[in-house]
Amino acid sequence: KAGVTQTPRYLIKTRGQQVTLSCSPISGHRSVSWYQQTPGQGLQFLFEYFSETQRNKGNFPGRFSGRQFSNSRSEMNVSTLELGDSALYLCASTDRQGANTQYFGPGTRLTVL
Amino acid sequence: AQKITQTQPGMFVQEKEAVTLDCTYDTSDPSYGLFWYKQPSSGEMIFLIYQGSYDQQNATEGRYSLNFQKARKSANLVISASQLGDSAMYFCAMREGRPDSNYQLIWGAGTKLIIKP
């Protein structure tokens, strides 16, 4: 099976702009989670989607939003970008079997100038 | 309080030696899961091993084993016969609650492991 894919891999934006990141889960996985990774804060949970519904949300401002489509692909959007939004954004999909292990994509590295 | 603590920011280990990466956790939930992931410099998070709170035996996956000491709330990763390709960041993560109830992982700060030839 193909792994989790994320596009684009790299993005450079300026403050105030908005950005949309995309994630395609492993075939058959219906749950998608998003994480932000920064040197200062480490890995932090953003939100999780299952069957097009957001089931859980981390402690991030409303500028961070997401959605999931009927084919389980997910997008996250960050509006009004700030310098502090520069990070590696990781998407993970879950098989919902046994341990419900999360399998990660390669990430999107966002730089805000 | 930190829920996941990894006390070793960095480690140097000679190739072919075994290495133990420390992880302690804090939760009051009787059901939880502990995960270890490897993150090479490329950035992708690679799943290594899982231990459930009710699992009676320590988990093993090839060269990886998890030394699970429930009373001490410790879940150390052991890598046997280390290889140069093991050089990476290693993260311990916890899921609180039953596997089907919660998909949020709580992460430690990570340990940077460097294998010396």
Side-chain angles (χ1 to χ4, degrees), chain B residues 65-112:
Chain B
S65 61
L66 203 152
N67 184 0
F68 182 47
Q69 299 187 41
K70 197 170 182 177
R72 299 175 69 176
K73 295 191 173 180
S74 162
N76 298 340
L77 176 71
V78 180
I79 306 173
S80 63
S82 57
Q83 303 170 356
L84 295 179
D86 293 333
S87 294
M89 283 290 291
Y90 287 80
F91 291 94
C92 179
M94 176 174 65
R95 180 212 65 241
E96 293 181 296
R98 291 186 357 256
D100 58 349
S101 68
N102 179 18
Y103 291 76
Q104 175 179 349
L105 290 178
I106 303 165
W107 299 81
T111 295
K112 183 165 186 174

Side-chain angles (χ1 to χ4, degrees), chain A residues 5-26:
Chain A
T5 58
Q6 290 186 247
T7 56
R9 293 292 311 278
Y10 302 92
L11 265 179
I12 299 176
K13 293 285 187 178
T14 55
R15 277 182 301 173
Q17 288 186 311
Q18 75 165 20
V19 67
T20 299
L21 313 182
S22 180
C23 171
S24 292
I26 293 170

Side-chain angles (χ1 to χ4, degrees), chain A residues 54-74:
Chain A
Q54 185 183 91
R55 298 196 306 172
N56 200 0
K57 189 177 193 302
N59 189 24
F60 278 83
R63 300 185 297 107
F64 291 82
S65 63
R67 59 178 176 168
Q68 187 181 35
F69 302 94
S70 58
N71 62 357
S72 295
R73 189 176 71 85
S74 177

Side-chain angles (χ1 to χ4, degrees), chain A residues 9 31 33 35 37 43-45 48 55-56 88 90 94 96 98-106, chain B residues 35 37 39 41-47 50 91 95 98-108:
Chain A
R9 293 292 311 278
S31 171
S33 300
Y35 294 86
Q37 185 178 24
L43 281 144
Q44 294 183 287
F45 172 78
E48 185 252 337
R55 298 196 306 172
N56 200 0
L88 179 67
L90 291 162
T94 305
R96 299 197 84 227
N100 283 326
T101 299
Q102 295 187 20
Y103 296 94
F104 285 80
Chain B
F35 300 80
Y37 285 86
Q39 187 178 42
S41 56
S42 60
E44 184 170 354
M45 202 68 77
I46 301 167
F47 167 70
Y50 165 80
F91 291 94
R95 180 212 65 241
R98 291 186 357 256
D100 58 349
S101 68
N102 179 18
Y103 291 76
Q104 175 179 349
L105 290 178
I106 303 165
W107 299 81

